[in-house]
Amino acid sequence: MAMTKPAVQPDISRPSTKPSNPRFSSGPCAKPPAFSFEGLSDAALGRSHRAKIGKDKLAAAIDGTREILGVPDDYRIGIVPASDTGAFEMAMWTMLGQRPVEMVAWESFGAGWVTDAVKQLKLDARVHEADYGAIVDMASLDYDRDVCFTWNGTTSGVRMPNGDAIPADRGGLTLCDATSAAFAQDLPWDKLDVTTFSWQKVLGGEAAHGMLILSPRAVERLESYTPAWPLPKIFRLTKGSKLIEGIFKGETINTPSMLAVEDYLLALDWARSVGGLKGLMDRADANAKAIWDFCDARDWIDNLATDPATRSNTSVCLKFTDPRITDGAAFAKAVAKRLETEGVALDVGAYRDAPAGLRIWCGGTVETSDIEAMMPWLDWAFAAEIDAQAQAA
Ligand SMILES: Cc1ncc(COP(=O)(O)O)c(C=O)c1O
């Protein structure tokens, strides 16, 4: 791709305008533009989460999630402890082990679930990995086994283009970590038995709570299979081989933060105001396109995702490709530092385990005008750093 690009010389003059919100972190992500602390004044603080007021708010968080994500009526949605990690590990620990498992990873969070399966649970696992920027061939998997995968690789900017490779009549369960995909990408519910995400990502909510979405087949597994290992209380979803239905009505396993719940309800309201899922996806698409267009017009920067069909519209990961760069990691860090020092882009360095580069969050809470205002600063920071490197040589 870099070969066909025009050799645009970056404009090195300092841009005159800055983004009004420089928060482009990939988690916790920018709050919705409508966010204000006053908006949280209705929070059920100092009240029991088991009182009617608390239970109603928790139920509204579940109902709003179903409404905006279009989750089928016969799927359960639960609010669980420990964010996405809690939700995904709860699913792994309670459902896996009944049959062999396909573990799929194309970046560090998926790799973390591989470690859980292989080193902790010691499952009969087949591991399929792809390098950062690439994706595993999902059609090559055996879906009579359980399959664990991450829909959008937050640290590589590579996502599943669709769920077509997953057969409708599979024998195993699909466990999908959709943390950086939910509310920005279309999730085919009929292909997903377990879906998890955390509030701190696409809707800009607070950390701490995870969402666990179960298909009827996942519930069937929970009610018909008991793992060989002990389960701590915060992982237990059944009692006497029956699903604890209360968890999926807002009767949380342990105490939730009612402030975080209120914040999530506010985020759901904002999501409705921008047109629900379609509006959120359009916003993320527009943000990502602004960056892709920027990269297409320059011969020194490129998407880390090699196949355009798998490019993320949330965690957009970029690599510098200029042959003049002598130390890629130091260069990328220095560019990110310049952007941060100028107050134009915060937290845009690549994830610690990912290849050197930048990662710019494009989920719906980010305004396209802020992305557009930030990009000229990237031209500026790149040129300034090339210059600094030449001076130091
Ligand atoms: C794909 C993915 N999975 C899991 C996690 C962990 O999420 P949490 O820290 O909310 O548990 C993240 C966080 O960035 C993620 O991006």
Side-chain angles (χ1 to χ4, degrees):
M1 288 251 328
M3 306 279 291
T4 60
K5 288 179 178 185
V8 171
Q9 230 2 69
D11 174 3
I12 54 164
S13 61
R14 273 171 69 87
S16 51
T17 52
K18 293 186 174 187
S20 37
N21 185 357
R23 290 176 170 83
F24 299 109
S25 148
S26 290
C29 302
K31 306 297 283 178
F35 173 82
S36 74
F37 285 106
E38 293 75 55
L40 299 174
S41 59
D42 212 24
L45 303 185
R47 294 296 314 272
S48 168
H49 59 294
R50 314 256 181 231
K52 183 170 174 358
I53 184 173
K55 278 216 267 205
D56 284 353
K57 283 184 182 286
L58 288 156
I62 290 172
D63 293 346
T65 302
R66 186 184 304 282
E67 169 205 330
I68 292 176
L69 290 182
V71 177
D73 288 345
D74 59 348
Y75 279 43
R76 308 307 202 279
I77 304 177
I79 299 169
V80 300
S83 214
D84 178 75
T85 309
F88 203 78
E89 290 191 332
M90 172 185 278
M92 291 185 75
W93 258 255
T94 54
M95 286 174 235
L96 297 184
Q98 191 248 19
R99 57 180 68 211
V101 62
E102 303 272 50
M103 295 301 305
V104 185
W106 49 81
E107 50 81 64
S108 72
F109 285 104
W113 310 141
V114 171
T115 301
D116 272 356
V118 174
K119 296 211 171 125
Q120 297 296 322
L121 288 170
K122 302 187 182 357
L123 299 174
D124 176 1
R126 211 157 58 180
V127 177
H128 307 258
E129 286 174 309
D131 284 342
Y132 278 83
I135 193 168
V136 168
D137 175 11
M138 296 297 282
S140 71
L141 308 180
D142 176 1
Y143 289 91
D144 282 330
R145 297 168 175 231
D146 295 327
V147 178
C148 292
F149 66 102
T150 301
W151 192 276
N152 182 87
T154 319
T155 62
S156 70
V158 170
R159 70 161 154 184
M160 294 266 291
N162 53 56
D164 293 357
I166 303 171
D169 62 347
R170 58 196 175 276
L173 299 179
T174 50
L175 279 65
C176 172
D177 171 0
T179 296
S180 51
F183 298 109
Q185 299 168 13
D186 220 358
L187 297 171
W189 296 108
D190 58 327
K191 303 296 179 75
L192 306 177
D193 294 305
V194 176
T195 308
T196 65
F197 65 90
S198 55
W199 290 353
Q200 49 96 2
K201 279 282 185 296
V202 179
L203 288 191
E206 291 303 295
H209 299 300
M211 299 303 272
L212 177 69
I213 305 181
L214 304 179
S215 76
R217 295 181 64 244
V219 173
E220 189 181 46
R221 171 73 60 85
L222 284 169
E223 294 189 331
S224 62
Y225 163 69
T226 305
W229 42 83
L231 293 175
K233 176 177 168 178
I234 57 165
F235 278 6
R236 293 203 289 267
L237 292 167
T238 56
K239 192 168 181 197
S241 295
K242 288 303 288 176
L243 190 73
I244 304 172
E245 293 283 0
I247 294 173
F248 304 92
K249 297 188 174 106
E251 294 161 24
T252 49
I253 298 171
N254 64 341
T255 312
S257 158
M258 295 313 293
L259 193 57
V261 170
E262 195 69 18
D263 180 72
Y264 184 63
L265 292 175
L266 211 63
L268 289 170
D269 277 344
W270 171 79
R272 287 183 190 97
S273 77
V274 296
L277 183 59
K278 169 82 171 63
L280 290 168
M281 292 196 297
D282 288 349
R283 287 173 67 90
D285 285 348
N287 288 340
K289 183 173 182 303
I291 300 181
W292 299 342
D293 288 350
F294 176 94
C295 293
D296 283 346
R298 284 153 184 80
D299 64 353
W300 49 266
I301 192 161
D302 219 336
N303 219 284
L304 188 57
T306 45
D307 175 0
T310 67
R311 282 180 189 167
S312 172
N313 65 348
T314 56
S315 54
V316 174
C317 294
L318 305 175
K319 59 184 176 193
F320 292 104
T321 55
D322 193 300
R324 289 172 293 177
I325 296 171
T326 48
D327 178 342
F331 187 89
K333 258 193 188 157
V335 169
K337 185 157 179 246
R338 278 180 197 272
L339 297 172
E340 182 141 353
T341 305
E342 294 292 336
V344 294
L346 307 178
D347 310 319
V348 294
Y351 189 70
R352 57 178 187 260
D353 300 336
L358 300 178
R359 181 175 56 159
I360 302 167
W361 184 254
C362 285
T365 57
V366 171
E367 299 280 20
T368 308
S369 55
D370 284 336
I371 296 272
E372 286 167 349
M374 188 264 284
M375 300 318 286
W377 287 92
L378 182 50
D379 272 336
W380 169 82
F382 169 76
E385 207 43 50
I386 286 284
D387 204 33
Q389 189 190 265
Q391 303 283 332

